[in-house]
Amino acid sequence: IIALCILAHLSIVLFHWALILGMISLLVCIHFALRFDLENARSAIVLDKVMGLMLAFWAVPFRWRIMIFGFLLFYIFNNVKTPTYNKFIFKMEKLPGVLGVVLPDLFSGLLVNISLQVMLWALG
């Protein structure tokens, strides 16, 4: 994540390409982990959190305060859930294979991204 932040500071185009390639490689890694050991892999995989964070910072300007706030928002959206939100996430987790592992965290990342974009738009 720190390397991506530095890359974002150097070149936004390289940053976005690194995000795309990183997400594809993480999907492949999660797929093979699930094929290897389905019972234990779901609870041990943390790469889905990395993918959610990558999506959370997609097209968000690189500023340390925004990054820290985004990390906090991701933690809130990923761990503190209302009953309605929890039912929606539970349905996503029941999907087979990689989708059931990755979609809940990607959804949290998407919510963080939208929140950050709205916040940045409102602040001007």
Side-chain angles (χ1 to χ4, degrees), residues 4-116:
L4 285 173
C5 291
I6 293 170
L7 190 59
H9 190 65
L10 297 175
S11 170
I12 198 68
V13 174
L14 288 176
F15 172 72
H16 286 107
W17 276 107
L19 285 181
I20 291 168
L21 294 175
M23 288 184 125
I24 292 169
S25 63
L26 290 175
L27 279 174
V28 170
C29 290
I30 292 170
H31 171 73
F32 283 113
L34 289 173
R35 285 185 64 198
F36 179 71
D37 186 9
L38 184 61
E39 294 298 318
N40 296 321
R42 279 189 173 265
S43 61
I45 293 174
V46 294
L47 294 175
D48 55 335
K49 309 282 187 255
V50 174
M51 290 180 70
L53 281 170
M54 289 173 137
L55 183 60
F57 296 121
W58 182 268
V60 174
F62 177 76
R63 294 188 186 99
W64 287 107
R65 290 182 184 151
I66 294 171
M67 296 294 163
I68 292 169
F69 186 67
F71 280 112
L72 292 173
L73 272 180
F74 184 77
Y75 177 78
I76 291 168
F77 283 132
N78 206 27
N79 294 314
V80 180
K81 299 170 178 127
T82 63
T84 305
Y85 182 75
N86 213 13
K87 287 180 188 177
F88 185 66
I89 294 296
F90 184 71
K91 287 180 183 178
M92 280 196 270
E93 288 174 346
K94 290 298 178 190
L95 293 171
V98 175
L99 290 177
V101 174
V102 173
L103 278 182
D105 293 298
L106 287 179
F107 185 70
S108 296
L110 180 65
L111 289 178
V112 170
N113 188 292
I114 291 169
S115 300
L116 290 175

